Amino acid sequence: MALEHLFQGSALNAVDAKGRVSVPSFLRSVIERRGDSRTIVLAKHDTFACLSAYDPAYAALKHAKLERLLEKEETSPDAQLEYQQRNLMAFAATEEVPYDPSGRIVLPPMMRRKGELQDIALFLGTGETFQIWNPKLLLKDPRIPEDLKDITRFRLEEKGLKA
């Protein structure tokens, strides 16, 4: 199963006190081209201090990837346990969030805490999924390429904010 439409681009949007934030239109258009849902799925990213986000239709592809990984690791004595742990994180530790006609979502408190999202959110397309970052955390992460940090600084400057 290949994805025809990919998430790409970046944007910085304000998060209000109630956790409302607008999902950029370039991301919503991909969600809507992939399916009929006006919903995003949020999860803690498994590597970075951010949230991973995607459309509900992507969940089936994610499940298939986990199944293939299990097949590759079948000889490992811990393969079944690791598979179950990955499934728990991939599916139980997620929240589906609908967006309104203007593209706003309410970040669930648990997800807001997991992503350490406060008053601004940086949206980054990553192909099959997109990420939602606290830009301060991205700028501090030594694993993030300098070019992406430059984009983040630019997005902050666009909004009149300091990096």
Side-chain angles (χ1 to χ4, degrees):
M1 175 180 183
L3 293 175
E4 191 175 326
H5 306 287
L6 300 175
F7 295 107
Q8 51 190 357
S10 65
L12 186 72
N13 287 340
V15 179
D16 72 12
K18 293 181 180 179
R20 291 179 297 214
V21 63
S22 181
V23 176
S25 61
F26 63 88
L27 298 173
R28 293 192 320 265
S29 68
V30 173
I31 292 167
E32 292 164 16
R33 284 187 300 217
R34 286 184 177 182
D36 295 334
S37 180
R38 288 182 169 261
T39 302
I40 63 172
V41 179
L42 298 172
K44 171 73 178 84
H45 194 277
D46 57 357
T47 304
F48 297 116
C50 67
L51 298 180
S52 181
Y54 49 89
D55 58 293
Y58 177 74
L61 181 60
K62 192 172 187 174
H63 184 264
K65 286 180 177 189
L66 290 171
E67 290 285 319
R68 284 193 304 275
L69 189 57
L70 174 64
E71 289 172 10
K72 286 182 183 177
E73 298 174 346
E74 276 183 339
T75 57
S76 165
D78 297 326
Q80 194 57 239
L81 175 61
E82 289 170 6
Y83 171 75
Q84 294 301 327
Q85 290 170 331
R86 284 188 198 112
N87 271 335
L88 280 169
M89 291 309 297
F91 300 105
T94 64
E95 293 205 38
E96 283 195 22
V97 182
Y99 57 85
D100 68 18
S102 66
R104 283 185 311 183
I105 62 169
V106 177
L107 291 165
M110 179 185 69
M111 289 299 157
R112 196 168 179 189
R113 180 187 305 168
K114 292 285 185 189
E116 296 183 48
L117 297 167
Q118 297 162 0
D119 56 345
I120 51 176
L122 177 68
F123 291 82
L124 300 173
T126 60
E128 294 180 342
T129 64
F130 62 97
Q131 296 174 358
I132 307 173
W133 280 86
N134 174 331
K136 294 173 187 170
L137 295 178
L138 182 141
L139 291 170
K140 290 179 187 177
D141 193 324
R143 300 167 296 172
I144 300 297
E146 196 58 38
D147 283 344
L148 189 54
K149 290 180 180 183
D150 285 341
I151 291 169
T152 301
R153 289 184 199 100
F154 176 79
R155 294 290 179 215
L156 287 164
E157 290 167 11
E158 274 185 321
K159 301 284 185 179
L161 302 169
K162 292 184 181 180

